[in-house]
Amino acid sequence: MSPARDIEAVRKEAADWLARLRSDARGPADESDFKLWLNRSEDHRASFDALTETWELAGALKHDPEIVVPPAPRRSPVLARRAVLAGVGVAAVGLGWLALAPEVYATGIGETRTLHLDDGSSILLDADSRIRVHLEGRKRKATLVRGRAFFRAATDPVKPFVVSADGREIVGDGGDAFDVSVNGAAVAVTSVEGQVLVMEAGQPSSRLIAMAGQRIVMAGEAAPRREAADVQAATAWRFGQAVFDDQTLAAAIAEMNRYSRRRIVLSEPGLEDLRISGVYKAGDNEAFARSVAVLLDLKVQTSAGGLLIAPRAGA
């Protein structure tokens, strides 16, 4: 057996032992056999220690009093059907060869993409987004470089699913579903099902837990904040909708421009702080612009293939 294969075999044995020791059927014979295996080689001990350290970021934190809560309710049949329908027009990509190296995926304006991972996890990548995915040995890691993605992490008793975003790490404990967005220096994590751990990269002491229906927002040097989330609004992009609740006009336009090349611009800076609420079809910038014009007493002009929102004459 080659050294590389020998190391991989030891890692697999270590993973098997960790799963066996965490089993409800664990008994004295298991513990005795494990000690014999552990003392047989320094490689055994090193592999098991490394694997345990990785797992403790997620699995062992279940015993933290902060996160011992009743299980989150399952998705309603209506939401499940909507999730299926949302697959229309989304490309599905098989990732059977991801173990070789990190792979980079990107979407353009108005494009979404579904990635199916070998471990059973899936990622829905939003428009104008970029992500790196790496599955190798003990690692299940994705780095969201920009944009937004919805993650559904498959259960794995020894390998947490880790998402890196602008110096933060989001750790799924298996069976979790969560939404991550990167907007400049701001990162937002919304837990949809299960619970996720959020921390500064390499700093477990900074951890916060987002349970289903909660969001953690981190922006620049400000302290992270945890708050209740409108999950349907936060993940409406998966169903082709843009939902705004008292957002600034500038923020709403930036969101709409992710989905259409017919870009909306404002004629002057004073308009960007106006507030807007409503549910709009992602990609239909003209309907959005004309609705905003009516609601805020503005006007819309066609400009170089785009849409210009400006004050009405005399307003």
PDB file of all heavy atoms in Angstrom, residues 250-269:
ATOM      1  N   ALA A 250     -32.045  52.673  -2.727  1.00  0.00           N
ATOM      2  CA  ALA A 250     -30.739  52.263  -3.263  1.00  0.00           C
ATOM      3  C   ALA A 250     -30.519  50.768  -3.077  1.00  0.00           C
ATOM      4  O   ALA A 250     -30.060  50.072  -3.990  1.00  0.00           O
ATOM      5  CB  ALA A 250     -29.618  53.043  -2.579  1.00  0.00           C
ATOM      6  N   ALA A 251     -30.850  50.229  -1.893  1.00  0.00           N
ATOM      7  CA  ALA A 251     -30.667  48.808  -1.624  1.00  0.00           C
ATOM      8  C   ALA A 251     -31.607  47.960  -2.473  1.00  0.00           C
ATOM      9  O   ALA A 251     -31.221  46.907  -2.987  1.00  0.00           O
ATOM     10  CB  ALA A 251     -30.888  48.516  -0.138  1.00  0.00           C
ATOM     11  N   ALA A 252     -32.833  48.415  -2.624  1.00  0.00           N
ATOM     12  CA  ALA A 252     -33.809  47.669  -3.425  1.00  0.00           C
ATOM     13  C   ALA A 252     -33.387  47.624  -4.893  1.00  0.00           C
ATOM     14  O   ALA A 252     -33.506  46.587  -5.551  1.00  0.00           O
ATOM     15  CB  ALA A 252     -35.189  48.301  -3.284  1.00  0.00           C
ATOM     16  N   ILE A 253     -32.890  48.726  -5.408  1.00  0.00           N
ATOM     17  CA  ILE A 253     -32.440  48.756  -6.806  1.00  0.00           C
ATOM     18  C   ILE A 253     -31.235  47.842  -7.000  1.00  0.00           C
ATOM     19  O   ILE A 253     -31.138  47.114  -8.005  1.00  0.00           O
ATOM     20  CB  ILE A 253     -32.124  50.201  -7.232  1.00  0.00           C
ATOM     21  CG1 ILE A 253     -33.426  50.997  -7.380  1.00  0.00           C
ATOM     22  CG2 ILE A 253     -31.324  50.227  -8.531  1.00  0.00           C
ATOM     23  CD1 ILE A 253     -33.222  52.466  -7.671  1.00  0.00           C
ATOM     24  N   ALA A 254     -30.307  47.851  -6.038  1.00  0.00           N
ATOM     25  CA  ALA A 254     -29.142  46.966  -6.139  1.00  0.00           C
ATOM     26  C   ALA A 254     -29.576  45.509  -6.202  1.00  0.00           C
ATOM     27  O   ALA A 254     -29.018  44.713  -6.965  1.00  0.00           O
ATOM     28  CB  ALA A 254     -28.208  47.199  -4.948  1.00  0.00           C
ATOM     29  N   GLU A 255     -30.594  45.165  -5.424  1.00  0.00           N
ATOM     30  CA  GLU A 255     -31.105  43.791  -5.446  1.00  0.00           C
ATOM     31  C   GLU A 255     -31.763  43.468  -6.780  1.00  0.00           C
ATOM     32  O   GLU A 255     -31.513  42.407  -7.368  1.00  0.00           O
ATOM     33  CB  GLU A 255     -32.103  43.604  -4.299  1.00  0.00           C
ATOM     34  CG  GLU A 255     -32.751  42.237  -4.237  1.00  0.00           C
ATOM     35  CD  GLU A 255     -31.796  41.127  -3.799  1.00  0.00           C
ATOM     36  OE1 GLU A 255     -30.642  41.431  -3.416  1.00  0.00           O
ATOM     37  OE2 GLU A 255     -32.206  39.955  -3.855  1.00  0.00           O
ATOM     38  N   MET A 256     -32.601  44.347  -7.287  1.00  0.00           N
ATOM     39  CA  MET A 256     -33.278  44.105  -8.560  1.00  0.00           C
ATOM     40  C   MET A 256     -32.280  44.001  -9.717  1.00  0.00           C
ATOM     41  O   MET A 256     -32.477  43.219 -10.652  1.00  0.00           O
ATOM     42  CB  MET A 256     -34.299  45.207  -8.839  1.00  0.00           C
ATOM     43  CG  MET A 256     -35.482  45.236  -7.874  1.00  0.00           C
ATOM     44  SD  MET A 256     -36.480  43.717  -7.879  1.00  0.00           S
ATOM     45  CE  MET A 256     -37.132  43.719  -9.561  1.00  0.00           C
ATOM     46  N   ASN A 257     -31.215  44.788  -9.653  1.00  0.00           N
ATOM     47  CA  ASN A 257     -30.227  44.774 -10.741  1.00  0.00           C
ATOM     48  C   ASN A 257     -29.425  43.474 -10.811  1.00  0.00           C
ATOM     49  O   ASN A 257     -28.729  43.234 -11.800  1.00  0.00           O
ATOM     50  CB  ASN A 257     -29.283  45.970 -10.605  1.00  0.00           C
ATOM     51  CG  ASN A 257     -29.909  47.255 -11.083  1.00  0.00           C
ATOM     52  OD1 ASN A 257     -30.906  47.252 -11.812  1.00  0.00           O
ATOM     53  ND2 ASN A 257     -29.336  48.387 -10.685  1.00  0.00           N
ATOM     54  N   ARG A 258     -29.509  42.627  -9.781  1.00  0.00           N
ATOM     55  CA  ARG A 258     -28.868  41.318  -9.830  1.00  0.00           C
ATOM     56  C   ARG A 258     -29.508  40.423 -10.879  1.00  0.00           C
ATOM     57  O   ARG A 258     -28.883  39.469 -11.360  1.00  0.00           O
ATOM     58  CB  ARG A 258     -28.983  40.615  -8.468  1.00  0.00           C
ATOM     59  CG  ARG A 258     -28.270  41.281  -7.329  1.00  0.00           C
ATOM     60  CD  ARG A 258     -28.723  40.674  -6.016  1.00  0.00           C
ATOM     61  NE  ARG A 258     -28.363  39.265  -5.927  1.00  0.00           N
ATOM     62  CZ  ARG A 258     -27.254  38.810  -5.365  1.00  0.00           C
ATOM     63  NH1 ARG A 258     -26.386  39.659  -4.853  1.00  0.00           N
ATOM     64  NH2 ARG A 258     -27.005  37.525  -5.306  1.00  0.00           N
ATOM     65  N   TYR A 259     -30.754  40.700 -11.218  1.00  0.00           N
ATOM     66  CA  TYR A 259     -31.539  39.770 -12.024  1.00  0.00           C
ATOM     67  C   TYR A 259     -31.883  40.288 -13.419  1.00  0.00           C
ATOM     68  O   TYR A 259     -32.582  39.612 -14.155  1.00  0.00           O
ATOM     69  CB  TYR A 259     -32.840  39.410 -11.280  1.00  0.00           C
ATOM     70  CG  TYR A 259     -32.581  38.834  -9.905  1.00  0.00           C
ATOM     71  CD1 TYR A 259     -32.690  39.630  -8.762  1.00  0.00           C
ATOM     72  CD2 TYR A 259     -32.181  37.511  -9.760  1.00  0.00           C
ATOM     73  CE1 TYR A 259     -32.425  39.108  -7.509  1.00  0.00           C
ATOM     74  CE2 TYR A 259     -31.915  36.983  -8.512  1.00  0.00           C
ATOM     75  CZ  TYR A 259     -32.041  37.787  -7.391  1.00  0.00           C
ATOM     76  OH  TYR A 259     -31.758  37.266  -6.142  1.00  0.00           O
ATOM     77  N   SER A 260     -31.436  41.467 -13.775  1.00  0.00           N
ATOM     78  CA  SER A 260     -31.776  42.003 -15.088  1.00  0.00           C
ATOM     79  C   SER A 260     -30.641  42.867 -15.619  1.00  0.00           C
ATOM     80  O   SER A 260     -30.040  43.652 -14.875  1.00  0.00           O
ATOM     81  CB  SER A 260     -33.055  42.844 -15.013  1.00  0.00           C
ATOM     82  OG  SER A 260     -33.330  43.453 -16.251  1.00  0.00           O
ATOM     83  N   ARG A 261     -30.375  42.729 -16.918  1.00  0.00           N
ATOM     84  CA  ARG A 261     -29.371  43.582 -17.551  1.00  0.00           C
ATOM     85  C   ARG A 261     -29.951  44.938 -17.925  1.00  0.00           C
ATOM     86  O   ARG A 261     -29.223  45.829 -18.338  1.00  0.00           O
ATOM     87  CB  ARG A 261     -28.805  42.880 -18.793  1.00  0.00           C
ATOM     88  CG  ARG A 261     -28.049  41.610 -18.449  1.00  0.00           C
ATOM     89  CD  ARG A 261     -27.260  41.063 -19.600  1.00  0.00           C
ATOM     90  NE  ARG A 261     -26.526  39.863 -19.211  1.00  0.00           N
ATOM     91  CZ  ARG A 261     -25.370  39.853 -18.554  1.00  0.00           C
ATOM     92  NH1 ARG A 261     -24.808  41.012 -18.218  1.00  0.00           N
ATOM     93  NH2 ARG A 261     -24.776  38.717 -18.241  1.00  0.00           N
ATOM     94  N   ARG A 262     -31.250  45.083 -17.783  1.00  0.00           N
ATOM     95  CA  ARG A 262     -31.866  46.393 -17.983  1.00  0.00           C
ATOM     96  C   ARG A 262     -31.798  47.132 -16.647  1.00  0.00           C
ATOM     97  O   ARG A 262     -32.745  47.168 -15.866  1.00  0.00           O
ATOM     98  CB  ARG A 262     -33.319  46.234 -18.440  1.00  0.00           C
ATOM     99  CG  ARG A 262     -33.893  47.515 -19.002  1.00  0.00           C
ATOM    100  CD  ARG A 262     -35.282  47.331 -19.544  1.00  0.00           C
ATOM    101  NE  ARG A 262     -35.733  48.521 -20.223  1.00  0.00           N
ATOM    102  CZ  ARG A 262     -36.979  48.741 -20.602  1.00  0.00           C
ATOM    103  NH1 ARG A 262     -37.907  47.819 -20.375  1.00  0.00           N
ATOM    104  NH2 ARG A 262     -37.307  49.860 -21.221  1.00  0.00           N
ATOM    105  N   ARG A 263     -30.668  47.723 -16.401  1.00  0.00           N
ATOM    106  CA  ARG A 263     -30.361  48.252 -15.082  1.00  0.00           C
ATOM    107  C   ARG A 263     -31.151  49.508 -14.756  1.00  0.00           C
ATOM    108  O   ARG A 263     -31.437  50.331 -15.617  1.00  0.00           O
ATOM    109  CB  ARG A 263     -28.866  48.525 -14.956  1.00  0.00           C
ATOM    110  CG  ARG A 263     -28.008  47.278 -15.141  1.00  0.00           C
ATOM    111  CD  ARG A 263     -26.540  47.563 -14.960  1.00  0.00           C
ATOM    112  NE  ARG A 263     -26.226  47.974 -13.595  1.00  0.00           N
ATOM    113  CZ  ARG A 263     -26.080  47.110 -12.585  1.00  0.00           C
ATOM    114  NH1 ARG A 263     -26.242  45.815 -12.790  1.00  0.00           N
ATOM    115  NH2 ARG A 263     -25.770  47.534 -11.377  1.00  0.00           N
ATOM    116  N   ILE A 264     -31.454  49.647 -13.486  1.00  0.00           N
ATOM    117  CA  ILE A 264     -32.141  50.828 -12.970  1.00  0.00           C
ATOM    118  C   ILE A 264     -31.105  51.731 -12.320  1.00  0.00           C
ATOM    119  O   ILE A 264     -30.254  51.266 -11.553  1.00  0.00           O
ATOM    120  CB  ILE A 264     -33.206  50.433 -11.924  1.00  0.00           C
ATOM    121  CG1 ILE A 264     -34.212  49.463 -12.524  1.00  0.00           C
ATOM    122  CG2 ILE A 264     -33.905  51.667 -11.382  1.00  0.00           C
ATOM    123  CD1 ILE A 264     -35.159  48.857 -11.494  1.00  0.00           C
ATOM    124  N   VAL A 265     -31.170  53.013 -12.612  1.00  0.00           N
ATOM    125  CA  VAL A 265     -30.294  53.995 -11.970  1.00  0.00           C
ATOM    126  C   VAL A 265     -31.140  55.158 -11.471  1.00  0.00           C
ATOM    127  O   VAL A 265     -32.246  55.403 -11.954  1.00  0.00           O
ATOM    128  CB  VAL A 265     -29.194  54.504 -12.930  1.00  0.00           C
ATOM    129  CG1 VAL A 265     -28.261  53.371 -13.327  1.00  0.00           C
ATOM    130  CG2 VAL A 265     -29.813  55.139 -14.164  1.00  0.00           C
ATOM    131  N   LEU A 266     -30.603  55.879 -10.497  1.00  0.00           N
ATOM    132  CA  LEU A 266     -31.267  57.061  -9.957  1.00  0.00           C
ATOM    133  C   LEU A 266     -30.626  58.306 -10.549  1.00  0.00           C
ATOM    134  O   LEU A 266     -29.413  58.356 -10.752  1.00  0.00           O
ATOM    135  CB  LEU A 266     -31.157  57.088  -8.431  1.00  0.00           C
ATOM    136  CG  LEU A 266     -31.848  55.931  -7.696  1.00  0.00           C
ATOM    137  CD1 LEU A 266     -31.520  55.980  -6.199  1.00  0.00           C
ATOM    138  CD2 LEU A 266     -33.354  55.984  -7.908  1.00  0.00           C
ATOM    139  N   SER A 267     -31.439  59.312 -10.791  1.00  0.00           N
ATOM    140  CA  SER A 267     -30.939  60.522 -11.448  1.00  0.00           C
ATOM    141  C   SER A 267     -30.112  61.390 -10.512  1.00  0.00           C
ATOM    142  O   SER A 267     -29.269  62.160 -10.969  1.00  0.00           O
ATOM    143  CB  SER A 267     -32.110  61.343 -12.008  1.00  0.00           C
ATOM    144  OG  SER A 267     -32.904  61.848 -10.939  1.00  0.00           O
ATOM    145  N   GLU A 268     -30.326  61.261  -9.214  1.00  0.00           N
ATOM    146  CA  GLU A 268     -29.605  62.116  -8.266  1.00  0.00           C
ATOM    147  C   GLU A 268     -29.509  61.440  -6.912  1.00  0.00           C
ATOM    148  O   GLU A 268     -30.361  60.611  -6.547  1.00  0.00           O
ATOM    149  CB  GLU A 268     -30.286  63.480  -8.145  1.00  0.00           C
ATOM    150  CG  GLU A 268     -31.768  63.419  -7.853  1.00  0.00           C
ATOM    151  CD  GLU A 268     -32.420  64.767  -8.074  1.00  0.00           C
ATOM    152  OE1 GLU A 268     -32.626  65.148  -9.238  1.00  0.00           O
ATOM    153  OE2 GLU A 268     -32.694  65.434  -7.062  1.00  0.00           O
ATOM    154  N   PRO A 269     -28.468  61.773  -6.120  1.00  0.00           N
ATOM    155  CA  PRO A 269     -28.214  61.090  -4.848  1.00  0.00           C
ATOM    156  C   PRO A 269     -29.350  61.210  -3.834  1.00  0.00           C
ATOM    157  O   PRO A 269     -29.557  60.309  -3.035  1.00  0.00           O
ATOM    158  CB  PRO A 269     -26.946  61.785  -4.327  1.00  0.00           C
ATOM    159  CG  PRO A 269     -26.288  62.337  -5.541  1.00  0.00           C
ATOM    160  CD  PRO A 269     -27.409  62.736  -6.457  1.00  0.00           C
TER     161      PRO A 269
END
